[in-house]
Amino acid sequence: MPAILWVVRHGQSAGNVARDFAEAEGLSVIDIAWRDIDVPLSELGVEQSRSLARWFGHLPDDARPEVVLCSPYVRAVQTAEAIAHGAGGALQLRLDERLREKEFGILDRLTRHGIQQKYPELDEQRGHVGKFYFRPPGGESWCDVILRLRSLVEMIAREYAGKRVLIVAHQVIVNCMRYLVENLTEARILEIDRMGDVPNCGVTSYRLEPGPDSIEQLVLDHENLVAPLEQAGTPVTTAADVPAAAKP
């Protein structure tokens, strides 16, 4: 396994801002023009990414990331590029589609109100089944996301053993990685999820340490750390990710 593993959510996106507005106004549809993959960072998201980049840049040379694995979505790439630049050196940035946002299918761009209004039966089914197993038509459940992440974890163990690895992705990815790395149950990861959204540019990190029978294992070091933003005086945001897609 890697010596250190950081899992970071991207900075605040324009989609986060649009969703906040739609929810506050009681709208059914989130008004956003981009495909989900093309949604960029907001101005605050850019500031958050730069603050986090400076924090990584101030780490000792032998404690900084050596490789960055990143979702191909624009908001994640912008965050990862800021960190790679701020951390200095020739950081290897590797895009991996397995780190993409959870796919929402026919629920794209709908607020909770919109889902209840347009698809009341699906809303009832989601409430009964729970988000861990519920798969909207054309979309993914958390289990589907976890399935693609299992092969990513295997790749990290195979190609980056002993390295310091940074992952930049999305809220669901952060939680699903925690499920895998910490060997959690459905009940426990959903309990964590109910405690609040993953902060934009929040850092969850693990360090390789000896475990039982001298078998090394990744141990949780920081959970949704926002100190890098607070130290820089940058506002912390925790808006949920947006189920966004291209407008017709």
Side-chain angles (χ1 to χ4, degrees):
M1 296 300 290
I4 301 176
L5 177 66
W6 297 273
V7 188
V8 171
R9 185 187 177 192
H10 60 76
Q12 185 195 58
S13 73
N16 297 146
V17 176
R19 178 176 186 138
D20 282 349
F21 176 81
E23 295 282 5
E25 295 296 318
L27 303 178
S28 297
V29 179
I30 300 163
D31 186 17
I32 190 165
W34 298 281
R35 294 185 309 162
D36 195 12
I37 191 172
D38 297 324
V39 173
L41 293 175
S42 66
E43 290 185 9
L44 176 55
V46 172
E47 183 183 350
Q48 290 170 335
S49 300
R50 289 172 178 169
S51 296
L52 183 57
R54 287 192 291 272
W55 181 78
F56 274 111
H58 289 151
L59 294 177
D61 290 345
D62 60 356
R64 297 177 188 174
E66 295 176 279
V67 61
V68 182
L69 304 178
C70 180
S71 161
Y73 284 39
V74 169
R75 54 193 181 274
V77 173
Q78 289 177 320
T79 303
E81 287 179 339
I83 295 172
H85 177 74
L91 262 182
Q92 177 187 354
L93 179 60
R94 179 172 178 174
L95 303 187
D96 196 305
E97 73 286 344
R98 290 170 293 188
L99 290 169
R100 70 186 184 276
E101 173 64 287
K102 173 183 176 291
E103 297 177 358
F104 295 93
I106 64 171
L107 303 185
D108 276 354
R109 294 195 303 119
L110 294 179
T111 62
R112 181 63 187 272
H113 173 68
I115 295 171
Q116 292 171 337
Q117 186 178 60
K118 190 172 183 178
Y119 300 111
E121 291 183 356
L122 282 179
D123 184 61
E124 182 180 355
Q125 182 187 17
R126 181 183 181 278
H128 175 68
V129 175
K131 66 169 64 177
F132 194 80
Y133 288 104
F134 174 71
R135 179 191 294 134
E140 294 179 299
S141 67
W142 279 32
C143 283
D144 294 321
V145 175
I146 289 166
L147 181 61
R148 51 176 155 101
L149 289 178
R150 287 191 183 279
S151 65
L152 179 91
V153 171
E154 291 173 358
M155 182 203 75
I156 291 173
R158 182 177 63 251
E159 299 186 18
Y160 301 115
K163 299 290 187 180
R164 301 182 296 276
V165 178
L166 168 64
I167 290 175
V168 181
H170 310 271
Q171 174 167 255
V172 173
I173 297 296
V174 174
N175 283 331
C176 289
M177 282 296 295
R178 291 196 62 180
Y179 173 85
L180 288 172
V181 176
E182 298 174 42
N183 194 27
L184 302 179
T185 63
E186 174 197 2
R188 178 55 183 150
I189 192 59
L190 292 183
E191 179 186 2
I192 291 172
D193 181 63
R194 284 192 295 270
M195 292 177 184
D197 292 318
V198 175
N200 293 111
C201 284
V203 180
T204 295
S205 63
Y206 301 88
R207 189 174 300 274
L208 194 63
E209 295 183 359
D213 301 322
S214 299
I215 298 175
E216 291 185 320
Q217 59 186 13
L218 288 171
V219 176
L220 183 65
D221 197 17
H222 295 294
E223 178 181 4
N224 293 330
L225 180 73
V226 292
L229 304 188
E230 293 173 337
Q231 290 169 4
T234 304
V236 175
T237 53
T238 57
D241 284 326
V242 178
K247 287 186 175 180

